[in-house]
Amino acid sequence: MSNSDQPLGAKRRASQNDTSRNTLDTKHARLEPEMRTPIARLGIHPLSKYRQACPQFKEPREIISFSYDETRQMRMDNHQLKYYYPPRIDPMPSLFAGFEQQICRDSTKNEHIDGLLNALAYVRTKNEAAEPNDTRADFVMYRGMLTRIFVTPFSLRDAWSMNIARVGATIYVEDNVTDEMIADRSGSSEQHRRLMYSGYKFETLCMVDEPPETLSREQLDEQLAKQAREVVNTHSEYCTVFRTQLGPHSIISGAEVDCIDRAKPHEFPNRSYRELKTSRCLDSEKARNSFERFKLLKFWAQSFIAGIPVVTVGFRDDEGRLKEVQDIRTQDMPRMVRGKPRMWEANVCMNFANQVLQFIKDNVTDGGPDAQYRIEYSPEEAQVQIYSLGKRPSFLTAEYIKSLSK
């Protein structure tokens, strides 16, 4: 195992070679015809069955954090942790500036859940867990997968597909990356790429390298000027790995964190983390309604799951000019839409997710890294379906599997 001051490269996947682990597994991206019959189905409707008291949700507690550097090498440190400072909007900066110079990650590479597994293996081998069961849970998955499940009752047109493996008492979940997804990433229009870029650019305008309270006015001005000139590099990332619980289901998850408000505290750093988002200006009732119905739902789910209290939203016009910055507290988001027609409900999201996790537990029974399942949401059938894939090359890393004996 690498030391904490050395980059952690991606590890060899169990039963796979180095080439297959970094590229799309096209052979297994789709189910073979004989496996298209689900072993279990969960209907979405009626949503009224989820309108009940929220299941217990424990505040996320960070286990460890890690970084990806400018070359996408993993480091077990806070190297990429940035600090929030409100961006200057007079004069209005362009969120499209520097688009042509950006450094982008290779969208054809499938990183699976390697970063999350490597971090957990590191904690085990270094005996750095705060508590003995810190690295054991019912489920291990990135926040993005849990977010998709949370928002499904109010995003009924958005299909999703995930791969599942059960090892012992723990169920591992990853995104099922398909050829179509890779093609969509590679073939998106320039306008779409500019809009995606504007989110990264907004982040650079909001972040400095050191806690603002430790900087003089001159140092702060220098850092802000540096950030304005910064070339966007999507390889870089800071991630938190945390433990939480929804109802009876213990969960270990990982999430990218945009920035933090102050020097990172030892206990519950999530309370100081901050999400950064962008949106088109809400210049009409229709635009505001769409923002609250769709974007605010995802903002809430992402932030709530990771225990992040504030989302800072940069509103831009069609030319990419940043016109307004607004802080929205995560706990206020459900109240902002309560009672409005066709809006989402937090308790429905939480109860639905709780039921889906139980549905997975009840039907993913075969154990071992290479015994795989797939769970999919089908908008056409309004169902969540589980398929058994039989024996497949594992998406768990060999080093992680070895660490399970620690």
Side-chain angles (χ1 to χ4, degrees), residues 224-244:
L224 291 172
K226 173 177 172 276
Q227 290 301 96
R229 300 189 302 269
E230 190 90 3
V231 174
V232 168
N233 183 338
T234 63
H235 291 90
S236 304
E237 196 172 310
Y238 169 79
C239 299
T240 178
V241 178
F242 57 91
R243 182 183 182 87
T244 186

Side-chain angles (χ1 to χ4, degrees), residues 335-392:
R335 290 196 289 269
M336 290 171 63
V337 300
R338 188 173 298 157
K340 295 183 179 180
R342 303 176 66 196
M343 288 294 176
W344 52 276
E345 301 163 69
N347 62 326
V348 171
C349 296
M350 295 176 69
N351 282 304
F352 175 75
N354 186 36
Q355 183 161 337
V356 169
L357 295 182
Q358 188 61 53
F359 177 64
I360 295 172
K361 276 185 179 178
D362 292 343
N363 292 284
V364 175
T365 54
D366 289 345
D370 55 354
Q372 289 191 32
Y373 294 79
R374 184 160 299 151
I375 183 169
E376 297 183 339
Y377 166 64
S378 167
E380 293 79 12
E381 300 179 61
Q383 289 182 339
V384 177
Q385 303 167 344
I386 294 179
Y387 303 84
S388 175
L389 305 186
K391 300 294 184 181
R392 294 290 174 94

